[in-house]
Amino acid sequence: MGPLEWIIGSTIGISLTAWVGVLTLFFREELLDKVLLGLVALAAGSLLGGAFIHLLPRAIAEAGTADTLPLFLYLLGGFCLFYVLEQFLHWQHHHSASHERKPVSYLVLVSDTLHNFIDGLVIAGAFLVGTPLGAVTTLAIALHEIPQEIGDFGVLVYGGFERRRALVLNYATQSTVILGGIVGFWLNDVLTGLPVVLLPFAAGNFIYIASSDLIPEIKSEANVIRSTLYFLVFLVGIALMLGVRLLRGAIG
């Protein structure tokens, strides 16, 4: 197979990780309600871990320069844009007939779409260098996508989406990895500097969602035991991202 076939096959495989949430369809409503905040905690840890352990280091490596100030300005830009976007969504939320969905649900969909598109660009670039590097990169991305997709699905359901609709929307955002892969293949020479902008920008999105929306939800738990448990799940999300980074370093 040529690079394009590898890219398309790998990105389709990555997109299927979004369906991991289908397991929750077998949960009773009462059980799902009990685990939702745990999934929110996992998402918060995964988002922060993804931002600080994966996206920012990769952006710095892509930049290849000692001057990292532009990268952190892009990060702040991503953070501030999502602040403004959430304020707009809050305004829409309070002035519309429907009050059932939390703005964070839509922020997760937007940020995940951008993140997955970037992953597609990265996979394309790796396969254009060589098939072994492309395979390792795909494996690393798949490993960090699984816990993040579980957490994102939990956030969508917690934010008011019905489970089946949350699964479909989660897959729709995840499938942008395929588009990113194709665009990365055809426009590889043109888009050389694009990841340097998009990676820290996406990191800013992740940091905003985790710190502004998700962590306050799990901090609102009054029960000490459950609050401690949620914090441990939050740490598990970070640890999973760190584990994937170390594994990628060991095999790459």
Side-chain angles (χ1 to χ4, degrees):
M1 290 196 301
L4 182 59
E5 287 78 12
W6 277 109
I7 291 167
I8 292 175
S10 298
T11 53
I12 288 175
I14 293 289
S15 73
L16 296 178
T17 61
W19 293 104
V20 69
V22 77
L23 298 174
T24 65
L25 295 179
F26 301 101
F27 289 9
R28 296 193 311 275
E29 199 72 33
E30 300 80 11
L31 178 58
L32 183 62
D33 288 341
K34 290 180 179 178
V35 302
L36 273 180
L37 265 181
L39 292 178
V40 170
L42 181 68
S46 297
L47 286 172
L48 285 180
F52 287 108
I53 299 173
H54 290 273
L55 297 182
L56 280 177
R58 191 195 297 171
I60 292 171
E62 289 275 349
T65 174
D67 183 14
T68 57
L69 178 60
L71 302 181
F72 288 97
L73 290 177
Y74 297 143
L75 184 150
L76 288 171
F79 189 97
C80 292
L81 178 63
F82 265 51
Y83 173 82
V84 173
L85 180 59
E86 185 173 42
Q87 290 301 104
F88 173 76
L89 289 173
H90 270 302
W91 184 86
Q92 291 286 79
H93 183 70
H94 291 302
H95 289 80
S96 64
S98 173
H99 294 273
E100 61 180 18
R101 290 175 189 154
K102 299 183 179 182
V104 64
S105 302
Y106 299 101
L107 293 183
V108 165
L109 291 174
V110 173
S111 68
D112 218 22
T113 298
L114 175 60
H115 175 218
N116 291 319
F117 181 78
I118 295 170
D119 279 345
L121 294 177
V122 171
I123 289 171
F127 273 112
L128 287 171
V129 172
T131 301
L133 179 61
V136 169
T137 302
T138 300
L139 175 61
I141 288 174
L143 287 174
H144 91 253
E145 281 297 332
I146 291 172
Q148 187 169 314
E149 289 305 317
I150 294 173
D152 287 349
F153 171 77
V155 172
L156 293 178
V157 176
Y158 186 78
F161 284 101
E162 186 267 337
R163 276 185 274 180
R164 285 182 174 81
R165 183 166 174 77
L167 280 170
V168 172
L169 288 172
N170 214 27
Y171 178 71
T173 61
Q174 184 70 10
S175 63
T176 56
V177 69
I178 304 171
L179 176 62
I182 295 172
V183 169
F185 175 80
W186 289 111
L187 301 177
N188 184 59
D189 294 334
V190 179
L191 300 177
T192 303
L194 190 60
V196 176
V197 177
L198 291 182
L199 287 167
F201 185 83
N205 302 164
F206 282 14
I207 294 167
Y208 179 84
I209 293 171
S211 59
S212 177
D213 292 301
L214 304 187
I215 292 175
E217 291 287 344
I218 59 179
K219 280 180 65 180
S220 65
E221 174 58 58
N223 183 280
V224 175
I225 295 177
R226 283 199 293 269
S227 179
T228 303
L229 180 61
Y230 294 149
F231 179 66
L232 291 175
V233 174
F234 169 78
L235 293 179
V236 167
I238 295 175
L240 286 171
M241 295 297 106
L242 177 59
V244 170
R245 174 67 187 271
L246 295 175
L247 177 62
R248 186 174 62 186
I251 62 180

